[in-house]
Amino acid sequence: MTVSFTLNGKSTTVDVPLGRSLFDFLRGSGIFSVKFGSDKGEAGCDTVLINGRAFNASLVLMHSVAGKEVETLESLVEDGKLHPLQQSFLDAGAMQSGYTAPGMIMSIIALLRENPYPTEEDIRDALAGNLDRETGYVKPVQAVMDYLASRCIELVEMKNTNKNSC
Amino acid sequence: MAEMKYIGKKTPRVDGYSLVTGQPVFADDVHLNDLLHIKILRSPYAHAKIVHIDVSEVLKMKGVVDVITHKDITPRYFTTAGQGYPEPSAYDTLILDSKVRYVGDRVAIVAAESVEIAEVALEKIVVKYEKLPSIFDIREAVDNPSILHKGEDKAGIADFNRNIAGHFDAEVGDVKKGFAESKQIFEKEYSLPYVQHCHIEPHVALTWIDENNRLVIRTATQVPFHVRRIISRILDFPMSRIRVIKPRVGGAFGGKQEILTEDVCAAVTLRTHRPSRLELTRAEEFHASRTRHPQIVKFKIGVNEDFTFNAIEMNILENSGAYGPHALTVMSVTASKSLGLYRSPNIRVNATAVYTNLPVAGAYRGYGAPQGFFPLESLVDEIANELGLDPVELRHINYVREGDDVPIAQILGEGREGFPVVIRSCGLHQCLEEGEKLIRWNDLRKGKKSGIFRRGVGVAIAAQGSGIAGIDMGSVFIKMNEDASFNLNLGATDIGTGSDTAMAQIAAEVLDVPVEKIIVYSSDTDLTPFDAGAYASSTTFISGGAVKKAAEEAKRQILERGKKLLKVDKAEIEDQYVVAADGKRISYQEVCTKTLYTEEQMQIMATASHTSFDSPPPYNATFADVTVDTETGFVTVNKIVSVTDIGQVINPQMAEGQVEGSIPQSLGYALSEFLVFDNKGSPLNLNFNDYHIYTAIDMPEIVTKFVHTHEPKGPFGAKAVAEIPINGPAPALANAIFNACGVRIRELPITPEKILNALPKD
């Protein structure tokens, strides 16, 4: 079966057996940020974005991504520079083993596209499908809050700069 | 002591960049050509003999490369437990056996060109079983006519004829007399369920034969050196031809202190000469890997007029499941950690581990200690309430103090008699004081307890250890490079704890270079020296001790070479320079470069090993604030305060992370997690929908604090942090529930039904 879709910004056409999951395809293609955690996707460490929304790659079959845009954690780093949310995860110590970090980060990216000003409750809701046995979710949630705070400061500074220039 | 630059300071993780960008650093993040995929046929019966097994149809299937049954493997009994050698666990396990002892036990191994083919092949294996009577009730195991391990060839089983995997008893003082003298005696029994580690990365191993005809095992393990030793023996393959690589590990908690995949993978690779991969499914993780040991624990405490404890007696009945990895040592930790918490002149313990036809228990964070502290800290709370005392006050009266001996802990050791135990640092007083404030103890404890929603608070204190005294060993190799960076190669196994970073901080502090200058490479049996492994909260304390010694020796060499190059007798190290009294100085870079290339050439390098005959206990006080809905029995946890004494904190952010990660595991233990079995021993909840671990929306507010103590035996005064915070939350919650609604549940987990059934009916 031939499937054409966009993978991390690149148009991609692949030939895959019928019934191949997106998870198996991605890992088979060397996209290793997508992790196995459970047989039915309940762990959430296989979270990717499809047309901007978070999905469990294990539960998505390849034929269903035809014509769609698939994004994984690999798309976040630009010119060797971390996405500010990744930097927040690093600074807040939001990882222990780091096995679940890619899935959590992708869930948050999906949240932020839908709701750029989430509350802590929104953040927790967005992470509810990302099981983690190491952090108690304390520092991951903190990392997102820190990221939002730094972005607010940036916005305020931008506004101030604009005022000054007026 | 001089102000420290790197110890106790916020330090980003040395592996942080690779983790946050999803680099291929975990065991399974590799593509191997010609890879075989392995699946295991598992027993549908709890206890049966395999009377016939036919794989002929399977071998004819396209894509099936190898099928292994018990007939194909030379039987060599071993323990799956990766412990010090000789192991204190029974040699009662085979790679494949002609008998199965629990639902999920291994029956056969299939290696195929794809996972799908291997899965289909499993269904085509024809097996005839002769069912045997099963034991599911832990109380019926001893002297049951059905015997799990007729142990002619097996070693280390306490009494196989009676299904006893391990046993000990010990006494200090005279407990009978102690109870006779006590003013009041309290006695209760508590029960702890089957729970599973739930590390999100499953057990996974890949094996291949490398270009030098050696067997490489790339595996998610806590114990690479034990893997090498055990695989060499059970597959009769020379150790010199085995290399075990531990990449980053996605959580372990004791579950990866076991050989559960490596033996199968290695057997397939040695038979087929092809790379092989075995990853357990989540269902297999739940019932066919390892669990925490279920126990029934009885405590009896005799109290004097002045509320001091005069006698403590503990009885442990432990369910080891179908095999005995860690059976003896886990319950010896159950006893030694809880019995080491309070002063009492008379102490007795009697412990028995039994075999049943249920999943196999093993090492799990806390290693038996949580099973001891839930009963002990529940009973101490019950005593305080009976006597009309503040539960915090009763603890202040009785816990151990700095300078105390703990003779019972010495007698119990871990699997064999240990070493004298003296408490040199104990921050329990501060832990309780700090925690009381943070939880608003007095207000909430004495607040109104009526209406539908009732709020209460509870407390529990606990101890753990720092490595295993006289058993654990860590070793290190360090070498200097021209740019004043250092390679730190060590056996210590970072399993997601961040120990690589903590080790780099220790080396950086000694050598007076920034942490970025320390290049850490850990746990590869070819490239790093030995380490007993990442368990028993040992890495910071034991391996950290080795790092400190090796770094000190490297620093001595730098100073010596610097003095020679400066042609002076006396000099000091200052900010990456060797500085003489007259102000002449030479940089680290120059010292190293000249030493490598021109002046009396040599490599500045050092090795060191470290062991300890002490295992200084870290201490913790955990407070829980809960609301009980008396109409449904549902418990809402409002807040957990965890205050911990781990001596000098090496990396505050990572230490907090250890506490924050422990709490939900213990909350699950207390409230929501347990494996459920049908009446044939089949487990029923083998996924994360049916087995509930804490999610981001279930979490209460968490407050983490450390109190300052200095442990003279630890590197820079440090003790261990990994396990101590998991002991407190479960008993603190049970005590808070009692405080809220007067219901005392002595069997975990505390489900809404249990609370509802215990509430007085209107």
Side-chain angles (χ1 to χ4, degrees), chain B residues 586-718:
Chain B
I586 180 167
S587 71
Y588 268 25
Q589 283 92 335
E590 205 179 335
V591 170
C592 184
T593 306
K594 287 196 164 146
T595 305
L596 285 174
Y597 294 101
T598 53
E599 312 285 324
E600 289 180 52
Q601 284 163 271
M602 64 165 268
Q603 166 77 61
I604 292 174
M605 62 180 166
T607 61
S609 303
H610 188 67
T611 59
S612 173
F613 295 102
D614 288 273
S615 172
Y619 292 99
N620 168 276
T622 302
F623 290 77
D625 165 3
V626 305
T627 301
V628 181
D629 177 342
T630 55
E631 282 190 338
T632 62
F634 190 81
V635 176
T636 303
V637 184
N638 306 312
K639 185 171 176 178
I640 296 285
V641 171
S642 182
V643 191
T644 314
D645 155 29
I646 56 168
Q648 168 67 49
V649 179
I650 302 279
N651 184 316
Q653 198 179 53
M654 291 191 330
E656 280 167 21
Q658 288 295 314
V659 178
E660 290 158 358
S662 288
I663 289 168
Q665 289 186 27
S666 188
L667 293 180
Y669 196 38
L671 298 177
S672 71
E673 295 183 33
F674 58 125
L675 283 174
V676 185
F677 303 93
D678 69 10
N679 61 7
K680 295 190 172 94
S682 286
L684 300 174
N685 51 339
L686 301 182
N687 59 63
F688 286 128
N689 295 326
D690 298 328
Y691 181 104
H692 187 77
I693 68 172
Y694 268 64
T695 71
I697 50 175
D698 302 319
M699 288 299 294
E701 182 190 354
I702 301 281
V703 180
T704 300
K705 276 271 183 298
F706 295 101
V707 299
H708 294 287
T709 65
H710 183 88
E711 170 52 47
K713 296 283 174 177
F716 295 103

Side-chain angles (χ1 to χ4, degrees), chain B residues 700-758:
Chain B
E701 182 190 354
I702 301 281
V703 180
T704 300
K705 276 271 183 298
F706 295 101
V707 299
H708 294 287
T709 65
H710 183 88
E711 170 52 47
K713 296 283 174 177
F716 295 103
K719 299 192 274 192
V721 64
E723 296 178 288
I724 175 66
I726 205 169
N727 295 323
L733 273 174
N735 297 341
I737 291 166
F738 177 81
N739 179 244
C741 66
V743 166
R744 174 67 61 182
I745 305 294
R746 301 190 183 88
E747 176 195 67
L748 294 185
I750 304 172
T751 55
E753 298 93 298
K754 288 181 194 169
I755 292 178
L756 218 45
N757 287 336

Side-chain angles (χ1 to χ4, degrees), chain B residues 345-600:
Chain B
N346 308 294
I347 295 178
R348 183 162 69 202
V349 55
N350 179 297
T352 303
V354 299
Y355 290 119
T356 62
N357 296 106
L358 287 169
V360 186
Y364 179 4
R365 195 177 203 173
Y367 203 77
Q371 293 98 309
F373 284 113
F374 172 70
L376 176 64
E377 286 301 281
S378 294
L379 183 56
V380 170
D381 197 72
E382 296 193 50
I383 295 172
N385 282 297
E386 285 275 326
L387 296 176
L389 278 176
D390 182 332
V392 170
E393 189 50 36
L394 182 60
R395 288 175 171 87
H396 275 310
I397 294 169
N398 285 289
Y399 55 64
V400 291
R401 308 293 203 272
E402 284 176 12
D404 281 5
D405 296 325
V406 188
I408 189 72
Q410 175 181 353
I411 295 170
L412 293 171
E414 196 165 315
R416 60 186 196 221
E417 180 158 348
F419 301 90
V421 176
V422 178
I423 306 305
R424 294 185 176 84
S425 60
C426 175
L428 274 172
H429 186 84
Q430 303 100 290
C431 289
L432 281 168
E433 276 198 336
E434 187 80 19
E436 266 186 302
K437 277 184 237 153
L438 291 166
I439 203 83
R440 294 176 42 227
W441 177 250
N442 285 324
D443 291 356
L444 292 179
R445 193 171 79 90
K446 294 177 186 150
K448 166 172 103 71
K449 311 288 173 190
S450 58
I452 294 169
F453 295 99
R454 297 183 202 167
R455 192 165 176 189
V457 282
V459 63
I461 58 173
Q464 193 76 31
S466 302
I468 310 173
I471 289 177
D472 285 339
M473 191 277 272
S475 60
V476 167
F477 164 69
I478 191 164
K479 75 174 172 68
M480 189 179 194
N481 305 312
E482 295 97 305
D483 64 346
S485 66
F486 295 82
N487 291 95
L488 178 66
N489 289 18
L490 71 173
T493 307
D494 189 332
I495 50 173
T497 52
S499 69
D500 282 358
T501 306
M503 298 300 109
Q505 284 177 267
I506 292 174
E509 189 69 47
V510 173
L511 291 160
D512 198 10
V513 295
V515 175
E516 309 85 84
K517 289 275 194 183
I518 309 291
I519 307 150
V520 184
Y521 186 78
S522 60
S523 299
D524 176 325
T525 57
D526 268 14
L527 304 181
T528 68
F530 180 87
D531 193 286
Y535 53 80
S537 299
S538 58
T539 306
T540 304
F541 185 74
I542 298 286
S543 312
V547 171
K548 186 160 179 280
K549 282 187 200 168
E552 281 165 353
E553 170 55 20
K555 188 180 182 184
R556 191 194 62 77
Q557 291 176 20
I558 297 168
L559 185 61
E560 282 312 303
R561 302 304 299 219
K563 285 194 293 191
K564 273 195 176 178
L565 290 166
L566 291 172
K567 301 190 172 59
V568 296
D569 293 333
K570 270 186 143 181
E572 279 182 356
I573 284 181
E574 260 174 43
D575 203 17
Q576 301 182 64
Y577 279 86
V578 177
V579 184
D582 62 1
K584 271 197 294 185
R585 53 206 258 138
I586 180 167
S587 71
Y588 268 25
Q589 283 92 335
E590 205 179 335
V591 170
C592 184
T593 306
K594 287 196 164 146
T595 305
L596 285 174
Y597 294 101
T598 53
E599 312 285 324
E600 289 180 52

Side-chain angles (χ1 to χ4, degrees), chain B residues 129-339:
Chain B
Y129 298 93
E130 179 192 317
K131 281 193 258 173
L132 299 168
S134 302
I135 305 170
F136 301 132
D137 185 342
I138 175 174
R139 295 175 200 270
E140 287 171 8
V142 175
D143 294 329
N144 194 296
S146 177
I147 296 172
L148 268 80
H149 292 276
K150 298 251 190 217
E152 293 77 18
D153 314 328
K154 305 178 187 184
I157 302 177
D159 189 345
F160 68 81
N161 278 315
R162 303 182 64 206
N163 288 320
I164 297 176
H167 176 80
F168 63 81
D169 42 51
E171 182 162 6
V172 168
D174 183 339
V175 164
K176 209 173 151 197
K177 196 162 152 261
F179 283 123
E181 291 164 358
S182 298
K183 184 165 178 257
Q184 270 179 283
I185 295 169
F186 301 85
E187 184 174 13
K188 287 287 180 310
E189 186 178 281
Y190 303 84
S191 169
L192 294 311
Y194 263 112
V195 291
Q196 218 275 325
H197 310 68
C198 300
H199 34 74
I200 304 298
E201 181 201 41
H203 290 83
V204 58
L206 291 99
T207 53
W208 64 92
I209 303 285
D210 74 2
E211 58 283 8
N212 297 313
N213 202 24
R214 294 172 76 231
L215 173 69
V216 182
I217 305 174
R218 180 180 160 104
T219 176
T221 183
Q222 293 171 244
V223 287
F225 289 89
H226 299 326
V227 169
R228 183 180 64 167
R229 187 190 75 245
I230 293 168
I231 295 297
S232 170
R233 187 177 75 79
I234 62 177
L235 292 177
D236 193 24
F237 191 76
M239 192 185 280
S240 61
R241 290 178 57 200
I242 301 176
R243 174 182 181 186
V244 179
I245 299 170
K246 178 228 61 110
R248 309 316 304 169
V249 174
F253 316 122
K256 292 170 182 170
Q257 201 190 331
E258 300 274 333
I259 312 286
L260 297 176
T261 50
E262 298 92 343
D263 56 336
V264 172
C265 251
V268 168
T269 289
L270 291 178
R271 284 163 60 94
T272 61
H273 299 279
R274 286 181 61 178
S276 321
R277 169 181 178 271
L278 172 58
E279 179 180 65
L280 298 191
T281 64
R282 183 54 58 186
E284 286 177 308
E285 285 293 339
F286 273 114
H287 76 118
S289 68
R290 295 292 176 260
T291 67
R292 192 183 287 292
H293 285 85
Q295 291 184 359
I296 295 170
V297 177
K298 211 188 277 181
F299 259 110
K300 184 174 169 184
I301 299 182
V303 183
N304 293 320
E305 183 82 52
D306 62 358
F307 307 123
T308 55
F309 298 162
N310 195 43
I312 304 179
E313 186 174 12
M314 183 182 196
N315 278 282
I316 303 171
L317 180 61
E318 175 182 88
N319 185 357
S320 187
Y323 298 90
H326 304 276
L328 176 69
T329 37
V330 159
M331 65 181 183
S332 77
V333 169
T334 304
S336 67
K337 301 307 177 210
S338 54
L339 293 174

